[in-house]
Amino acid sequence: MLNDLTPFLIHWAITAVSLWVASHLFRGLKFDSTGALVVSALLLGLANAIVKPLLIVLTLPLTLVTFGLFLLVINALMILLVAALVKGFRVSGFWTALFASIFISLLSVVIGSFVTSSDPAEKVQMPQTGNWL
């Protein structure tokens, strides 16, 4: 069971580290405590998994017209949403959230490339047989 939880915990840690580094680089991004940082990383992961796909579908025409640049706005909105939900997490404004979201995304990709293995067995794969209902 712990093997199933390991990728989630690794992704959560990478997000937390990225948020922590971003809070030191951007003056408008602040955490009051480590607990607020950890909860923010968890909620950001949940927002990216649940709310963000809905927003992408709802704003698909705008995303297509802007050649995908509107996705950066959606990333910033996810950070602002998490900041509104977590008491100890503050973001000074939209532009801080926008540039911080770009930085967090890039840093998460870089850290993830070093931390995760390249073993294809660890990647999420769709079942090859069975009924899909």
Side-chain angles (χ1 to χ4, degrees), residues 1-60:
M1 181 175 146
L2 189 58
N3 287 339
D4 296 334
L5 196 58
T6 302
F8 168 76
L9 293 174
I10 289 172
H11 186 71
W12 188 12
I14 290 170
T15 304
V17 168
S18 298
L19 281 170
W20 179 75
V21 171
S23 71
H24 287 286
L25 291 177
F26 295 95
R27 282 184 285 163
L29 195 69
K30 300 286 181 204
F31 293 99
D32 290 341
S33 66
T34 305
L37 173 67
V38 170
V39 170
S40 296
L42 178 64
L43 283 180
L44 185 60
L46 290 174
N48 284 336
I50 297 170
V51 178
K52 186 177 176 181
L54 294 173
L55 283 176
I56 289 172
V57 169
L58 291 174
T59 61
L60 190 61

Side-chain angles (χ1 to χ4, degrees), residues 2 11 20 25 44 48 53 67-69 85 92 105 124 132:
L2 189 58
H11 186 71
W20 179 75
L25 291 177
L44 185 60
N48 284 336
F67 299 108
L69 290 176
L85 294 174
S92 65
S105 298
V124 176
W132 287 80

Side-chain angles (χ1 to χ4, degrees), residues 63-131:
T63 303
L64 292 174
V65 167
T66 61
F67 299 108
L69 290 176
F70 192 72
L71 293 174
L72 298 174
V73 173
I74 292 175
N75 284 342
L77 291 175
M78 293 300 99
I79 289 183
L80 290 172
L81 173 68
V82 171
L85 294 174
V86 177
K87 186 174 182 164
F89 179 33
R90 293 185 311 271
V91 179
S92 65
F94 174 77
W95 293 109
T96 302
L98 181 74
F99 293 120
S101 69
I102 293 168
F103 176 79
I104 290 167
S105 298
L106 293 175
L107 186 60
S108 294
V109 167
V110 170
I111 294 173
S113 68
F114 288 114
V115 173
T116 57
S117 71
S118 60
D119 184 16
E122 289 188 21
K123 303 226 185 283
V124 176
Q125 296 180 358
M126 301 299 283
Q128 300 299 319
T129 60
N131 295 328

